[in-house]
Every structure is written in C-alpha cells, then in structure tokens.
Amino acid sequence: MRILFALLFLAAPPAFADALDRIAERGEIRFGVREASAPFSYRNEAGEAAGLAPRLCLRVAASLTERLGKPLAVSWVTVDAATRFSAVEEGLVDVHCGPMTQTLARRERLDFSIPYFMDGIGAALRRDGVQELSDLAGQPVGALNGTTGVAMAVEWGAPGGSPVTRFDSHRAGLEALARGEIDAYFGDQGLLLHQLAVLKREDRLIPIRVLPDQFSYEPYSLAMAAGERRLRLEVDRALSAAFLTQEVFSDIEAELGEFALSEFAAFLYVLVALPD
C-alpha cells in the first residue's frame, strides 16, 4: 500500500509543474558536470562525465526511472565554478553533480541533498618557501575562483596584507605556486591531493606539499533549484539507499582510489542516510 501511494504521489499532477514533472514529461534528466574537478566531477579523456558525484547522480537517474515507471535519458551539461549556480537557477540543469559545499548562504539560493562527501579547505605550500601559514607576511596567496577557498585565502592572508589571486582551475593555481608566483594555495584538501597525484603520474616533480590540517567543514551536496521539494526527496531517497547498502564505498574506491577516508568522513554515510 505504501509503495502504491508513493507511485500515485509521483504521478499525480500538482497545482503547478515542478522540476520532477518536467523531467517526467520530457523523459530526460539534466545533470550539471564540471570539466576539471576530479575526482568528484570531471570529463574524462573520452569527454564522458566522470567522478564521484556523477556516479551518484546516475544512481538518482536509475531510482527515478524505477519510481516513475518510464525510462529516463541522462543529459550532461558542462558547468564551472562561476556558472553552476545560474545553471541550476535558470533550469539548464536539474541537479548539479559536482563538489559544491552546502552552506546557509547558498541555501538562500538553492536546495541541497543530504551530504555525499565530507572535505575541508586545505593549503598547499612550496617546500622551499613559507613553511607555515602563520609565517605569511604579505606574500601573495591564491584559490579557485568562486569557491569557499577564496574566503580562506583572504582570512589567512589578511594579517599580513597578502594579495589574493583567483584561478580558473586548481591545476593552474598549483602550477603558479610551483613557479613562485604565489606562496600558498587554498582549496578543498581532497582536490588538492588528487591534483598533485595527477601531476606526479605525469612525471611532474612539483615541489609542493599539502598541509595535513583542514581549516573548514565542507559538506559536499547535490544541488537543485530552490523550492524543488519533490525532486530533493527523490535525490535523497537514492543517496540514502546507496549509503545504507554501502554501495557508495564502491563508488568512492573507483574514483578516489588510494585516497583514505577518515573515520569521521566514513561515518558520515551512516549519520546522514534517511530511512524510508
């Protein structure tokens, strides 16, 4: 009876069409994917959407297909740090599938799923440069434009009056750090470690180290337009199923490889998953 009621709830037209109705009507769900935010959201060498968030979004599409009782095509729309908010708000994408930190300020503009990964802002330093962030004394710092890393760069650089450079990619920021153009680079620690691993695999010996400390709490969540209660419920349903069955850990292993989850980060999936 409960399953039948849920299906009737999905099928019944509300007073006005929402995102879930539009998805069902066109038989397609549109996901936003980042081009270069590996391992969480990127396009691989074949141009296909890849990363932890797209894997979870495919689980959302599969769950919706079953719930709606009709096949759904999946369309991937490329967004970046600057366009991801407007793409969701303007309906170009139904769900943003990338590393986006859920904050109270952002919840004024968008709706968010339960968190799917826990990270924190970290900092990279040159091995032959400043050894501690507290030693910054006016030296330039950097971060990825449009991210919470910028605020952290401003905070650490403010006491000494350090100028902040905003970059279009983590790779560009780390390479600028290696060349000595900046003396510290701030970003989500998981992304920094992954990008340095990529450079190492390319035989790029970059004299950079990522500090072990995290300076913030960054819960990554999938994002939808504000007010899309029904779609958010279905996204949370699919994520909760993946968390409770621990299938999420196969997705994490496939995308993050040797990146080790802290005990706190692993416990997140038990903590946030919602029962039926």
Side-chain angles (χ1 to χ4, degrees):
M1 178 63 71
R2 186 167 61 178
I3 295 176
L4 176 61
F5 177 79
L7 291 174
L8 289 173
F9 175 77
L10 279 173
F16 58 91
D18 62 7
L20 197 56
D21 292 309
R22 292 191 292 273
I23 290 168
E25 181 179 357
R26 66 176 180 251
E28 176 192 51
I29 186 165
R30 299 167 182 166
F31 293 133
V33 62
R34 304 276 288 274
E35 276 200 309
S37 290
F40 297 101
S41 184
Y42 63 102
R43 288 193 181 273
N44 60 25
E45 293 180 356
E48 300 165 333
L52 178 59
R55 281 179 178 269
L56 293 173
C57 281
L58 288 176
R59 293 187 183 276
V60 171
S63 177
L64 272 178
T65 293
E66 181 177 354
R67 299 268 300 164
L68 294 171
K70 60 182 294 186
L72 282 181
V74 172
S75 177
W76 297 99
V77 180
T78 300
V79 297
D80 58 26
T83 62
R84 54 185 173 164
F85 294 98
S86 60
V88 173
E89 291 172 323
E90 295 168 10
L92 299 178
V93 302
D94 300 306
V95 182
H96 174 267
C97 303
M100 185 186 289
T101 303
Q102 180 176 177
T103 66
L104 291 174
R106 289 175 176 177
R107 285 177 64 182
E108 293 180 353
R109 297 180 59 179
L110 303 174
D111 273 1
F112 289 89
S113 70
I114 56 177
Y116 71 84
F117 192 83
M118 188 65 61
D119 205 350
I121 295 296
L125 303 175
R126 251 187 347 275
R127 294 186 183 278
D128 61 351
V130 172
Q131 295 301 297
E132 301 292 340
L133 292 177
S134 57
D135 294 334
L136 286 170
Q139 293 98 323
V141 298
L144 181 66
N145 191 34
T147 68
T148 51
V150 173
M152 194 61 61
V154 170
E155 179 178 334
W156 278 100
S162 297
V164 178
T165 301
R166 293 164 170 79
F167 294 90
D168 292 329
S169 71
H170 287 306
R171 184 185 183 106
L174 291 172
E175 290 178 339
L177 175 62
R179 292 192 298 267
E181 296 171 10
I182 58 175
D183 287 275
Y185 182 78
F186 294 84
D188 292 2
Q189 191 179 73
L191 294 175
L192 297 184
L193 291 169
H194 179 82
Q195 187 58 67
L196 285 177
V198 170
L199 292 169
K200 183 178 180 180
R201 288 197 297 270
E202 295 175 359
D203 291 329
R204 299 281 304 280
L205 295 178
I206 292 189
I208 290 174
R209 64 189 180 97
V210 176
L211 298 181
D213 299 322
Q214 291 186 339
F215 306 109
S216 68
Y217 166 72
E218 306 284 329
Y220 289 172
S221 300
L222 306 181
M224 294 141 279
E228 296 297 349
R229 179 182 61 85
R230 295 171 69 228
L231 177 58
R232 186 185 69 228
L233 174 62
E234 296 308 318
V235 171
D236 285 345
R237 190 188 307 278
L239 292 180
S240 293
F243 296 174
L244 291 172
T245 60
Q246 299 189 12
E247 292 176 348
V248 65
F249 293 111
S250 65
D251 294 333
I252 291 172
E253 183 177 359
E255 293 296 340
L256 277 68
E258 68 277 7
F259 183 82
L261 287 177
S262 67
E263 289 186 6
F264 176 75
F267 184 66
L268 167 78
Y269 300 104
V270 176
L271 186 65
V272 304
L274 302 173
D276 281 334

